[in-house]
């Protein structure tokens, strides 16, 4: 999920702490998203997305992807809950 550059976020000596760190990263992130629009260059993609998270809360916002090692990888997001 974080790639080689993000491995520092996980405690290799404590599996419980690593599991909690992964859970924290996934909470609030939509399971499936619809892409409304996007901007793309050779190394970055900004996607405007909307989707529903594990708690059935609709989220909408921007997602930043970076190309690394020949693949697109999640870099950051700014997602807010949407009241409908």
């Amino acid at each position: 999920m974080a790639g080689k550059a993000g491995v520092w976020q996980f405690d290799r000596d404590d599996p419980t702490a690593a599991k909690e760190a992964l859970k924290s990263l996934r909470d609030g992130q939509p399971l499936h998203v619809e892409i409304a629009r996007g901007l793309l260059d050779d190394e970055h993609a900004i996607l405007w997305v909307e989707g529903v998270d594990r708690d059935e809360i609709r989220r909408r916002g921007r997602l930043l992807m970076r190309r690394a090692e020949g693949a697109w990888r999640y870099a950051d997001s700014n997602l807010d809950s949407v009241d409908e």
Side-chain angles (χ1 to χ4, degrees):
M1 181 174 174
K4 289 181 183 178
V7 76
W8 63 268
Q9 298 177 62
F10 309 105
D11 186 348
R12 291 181 175 211
D13 297 326
D14 185 353
T16 302
K19 183 177 177 180
E20 288 300 315
L22 283 170
K23 183 180 181 306
S24 176
L25 284 173
R26 84 156 191 229
D27 287 349
Q29 301 295 324
L31 296 175
H32 303 283
V33 298
E34 292 181 24
I35 301 171
R37 62 190 170 118
L39 293 173
L40 176 68
D41 67 24
D42 291 338
E43 297 180 18
H44 301 88
I46 300 173
L47 307 173
W48 282 262
V49 300
E50 185 171 333
V52 177
D53 70 13
R54 293 182 188 307
D55 297 320
E56 299 297 320
I57 297 171
R58 183 161 290 285
R59 305 279 179 175
R60 182 183 300 146
R62 292 183 308 263
L63 182 74
L64 174 63
M65 304 288 290
R66 286 197 178 104
R67 185 179 286 280
E69 301 172 5
W72 288 102
R73 301 196 186 274
Y74 170 84
D76 197 12
S77 62
N78 181 1
L79 302 172
D80 295 318
S81 62
V82 179
D83 296 326
E84 294 193 70

